[in-house]
Amino acid sequence: MQQAITSRTGASRLVAGAIVAGVLGVSALVGRRNAPEPGHPGIQRWYRRLDKPGFTPPDKVFGAVWPVLETGMAVGGYRLLRTPASPERNTAVALWLGTSAMIGGWTELFFRKRDLTSSSVAAAAMMGSSAGYVAAAARVDRPAALAGVPLTGWLVFATVLAESVRRRNR
């Protein structure tokens, strides 16, 4: 069975593509479920009432940035899955999966549960996981690592923003 999934050249294009599509699909579903938009008026009202710092980007920026960042991570994940299995590759893939899962988890904590403290901690954990992904991926496939750099940079900003929102809304 393992031979069907991976070989000396890594996962097949089909398997790697299916894994990446699944990760992106779950992330999109969770993100949409928790988005502060007209389809979720309670979440939207709550988010608008928060005291946010002046450096908070307009809502449209978030909607434009996340698909680009997640696409970069998807490309990186795909490239890693296509490389031969090794402890280094497996670490990078695990960090890719963990970071992807935390993105959805953060939206659940922040928007759905309105837990500003836990979401601030989760933002810092995502930042660390993403930075770990970039470092681990660099040992396996430099383009995969570079594809994660924009997300890591954004998560540094997002962590500062989440902590500022938490402090302003105790």
Side-chain angles (χ1 to χ4, degrees):
M1 182 65 162
Q2 180 69 13
Q3 189 66 14
I5 295 174
T6 62
S7 68
R8 291 183 182 178
T9 60
S12 71
R13 288 181 181 151
L14 181 63
V15 169
I19 291 169
V20 169
V23 168
L24 284 176
V26 169
S27 180
L29 287 172
V30 172
R32 299 305 296 160
R33 176 178 182 249
N34 299 315
E37 61 185 21
H40 306 111
I43 293 172
Q44 188 178 40
R45 248 187 327 275
W46 172 79
Y47 180 69
R48 284 192 175 145
R49 288 182 185 149
L50 285 174
D51 180 16
K52 295 182 277 297
F55 61 87
T56 304
D59 293 347
K60 290 182 185 210
V61 170
F62 289 108
V65 166
W66 276 106
V68 172
L69 296 173
E70 290 194 85
T71 298
M73 285 294 283
V75 168
Y78 178 85
R79 289 184 62 91
L80 288 172
L81 289 165
R82 296 279 294 140
T83 62
S86 69
E88 294 81 12
R89 193 284 310 249
N90 296 344
T91 297
V93 168
L95 287 163
W96 169 69
L97 288 169
T99 301
S100 297
M102 282 192 268
I103 292 168
W106 183 88
T107 66
E108 185 75 20
L109 288 170
F110 185 84
F111 292 113
R112 179 119 351 230
K113 298 197 184 281
R114 302 174 184 178
D115 186 340
L116 300 180
T117 299
S118 294
S119 65
S120 187
V121 171
M126 273 192 301
M127 179 182 61
S129 178
S130 181
Y133 161 80
V134 169
R139 291 190 281 280
V140 179
D141 183 88
R142 289 217 185 267
L146 290 172
V149 170
L151 176 66
T152 303
W154 179 262
L155 290 173
V156 169
F157 169 74
T159 300
V160 171
L161 179 60
E163 179 57 17
S164 181
V165 169
R166 183 195 69 79
R167 285 184 186 168
R168 296 165 84 95
N169 295 276
R170 290 180 188 219

